[in-house]
Amino acid sequence: MKNVAASPKARAKESHPFLTTLVAIGLIALCIWASNWQYQRGVARHQRNAVISSHVAQSPTTLTLISKDPTEAEWRRVEAEGSFDPTHQILLRNRYFEGKYGFDLLTLFTDVSGKTFWIDRGWIAPGKSATTAPQLPITSTNPVAIVGRVRLDQSLPQGSFFAISPSQNGKLIEQWNAQTKTSRQTENFYLDLLQVSDLTMSPSAPVELPELSDGPHMAYALQWLFFAGLVGYGRLLLRRSR
């Protein structure tokens, strides 16, 4: 009896289930990877929210303790005494308050011990037109006592600044110093202004805390696992149909 070689069409038909299975395995692996990615994002966000909630609930501390290790003190309230410098101010574009476009005002501050750092004084309204400068709030040079919230360099608002190029290199404080041509060495943190003893300088719209929500990451993680199950189930149906 002669051996008859399988035709190309028959060989292609035999290899088709193998290719289908290979594609299904690849899709399942991709879904599992996406599920794990969303899960890790959810865990990281939950931990971040827990840190913020814990630090916000603590009583105000001092600049001396903050300066030792700012990374361990972000979001904590801090008390300081010193004076603002109205000659060193920067406006941050693309800031919103209650859905209205405006700016955040940054002003340089020097405390009684000689430490210099930036203060985010909150949202201010824009001018009447694109060519009209916004009206800046009063900035007294008299000594004041303030309460602020510690923020780190990497948490600074990203975006388009007046005369400052957007940057993701985590050195925006250095850019601010260069922009205002200050010769003073500033700290590697800044403060969101919450209270000030001179009521004329109280922020009308202080910087708000970020939304402390864990987001949809865990739901997305389950969704990707569901997709992986659908792929596996679909492959099983194809095999049974053959």
Side-chain angles (χ1 to χ4, degrees), residues 192-241:
D192 291 336
L193 183 62
L194 302 177
Q195 300 174 18
V196 58
S197 58
D198 184 346
L199 298 182
T200 63
M201 296 179 60
S202 295
S204 58
V207 178
E208 297 179 345
L209 287 170
E211 182 182 357
L212 299 182
S213 167
D214 290 344
H217 301 296
M218 295 304 179
Y220 288 160
L222 292 176
Q223 179 178 284
W224 281 110
L225 288 178
F226 177 72
F227 289 158
L230 284 180
V231 173
Y233 181 67
R235 179 63 190 95
L236 180 62
L237 290 180
L238 285 176
R239 181 177 181 181
R240 292 179 62 183
S241 67

Side-chain angles (χ1 to χ4, degrees), residues 165-186:
S165 300
S167 173
Q168 303 291 335
N169 61 10
K171 297 181 179 179
L172 292 178
I173 288 180
E174 293 182 11
Q175 293 188 42
W176 290 355
N177 294 341
Q179 171 61 24
T180 56
K181 299 179 181 179
T182 178
S183 59
R184 285 169 286 184
Q185 180 64 40
T186 61

